Amino acid sequence: MDSFKKALEVLFSYGLPLCKQLQQIEIDLREAVGAADDNVNALKILRQNIDVEFHKMFEKAKKMAEFLNVTISIKHLNKRQQNRANPSTNDKELEPEAFFRITICIPFIDAFIQQLEDRFLEHRNVFNG
C-alpha cells in the first residue's frame, strides 16, 4: 500500500489550493466557493477519465514499488465478503490495477466531490438569494 503514496499525492493535490485558501486569516467565502467549484469540476473530469488517469498513477506507483522491491498485490477475494471491498468483474482474475481503481480511487474521488459539494457549493444559494 505504501507504493500508492505517489498516486494519493496526485489525488490530494486537487484540494491543495482550496486548503491553502481556507487557512488564511481573512477568508472570502465567494472565492472559497469558486475554488471549491473549480476543484469539483477538475475532479469530475478526472472521474470521467478514471481508467486512463488511474493507469498513469498506477504506473508511477509500480515504478516506485519496483524501486523499493515491493510487490503490488491484492488480498484474497471470496465469493461472499462482508468486511471489506470485494469487487467482481468479468475477468477471471482481477488485476491489482483494477482492484485498487475500483476499491480505493473511485470511492475516494466520489466522496471528495460529495464533501466539497455539501460543504461549499450549497453556499452559492446565499450569493444568488
Side-chain angles (χ1 to χ4, degrees), residues 120-129:
F120 294 101
L121 300 187
E122 287 182 3
H123 292 290
R124 278 189 275 189
N125 298 334
V126 172
F127 301 129
N128 297 333

Side-chain angles (χ1 to χ4, degrees), residues 12-67:
F12 286 131
S13 70
Y14 281 90
L16 186 61
L18 179 62
C19 181
K20 292 208 181 264
Q21 186 173 12
L22 292 175
Q23 293 176 14
Q24 294 176 358
I25 295 172
E26 293 184 20
I27 301 172
D28 182 10
L29 182 59
R30 188 179 301 270
E31 288 180 25
V33 169
D37 195 31
D38 292 342
N39 278 332
V40 167
N41 292 334
L43 287 166
K44 285 182 177 178
I45 291 169
L46 176 69
R47 178 67 173 85
Q48 288 173 350
N49 301 317
I50 195 64
D51 292 336
V52 174
E53 295 298 326
F54 186 77
H55 179 72
K56 293 176 191 174
M57 288 185 254
F58 191 80
E59 287 300 316
K60 289 179 184 177
K62 227 161 71 170
K63 287 178 185 175
M64 179 78 71
E66 288 173 6
F67 177 76

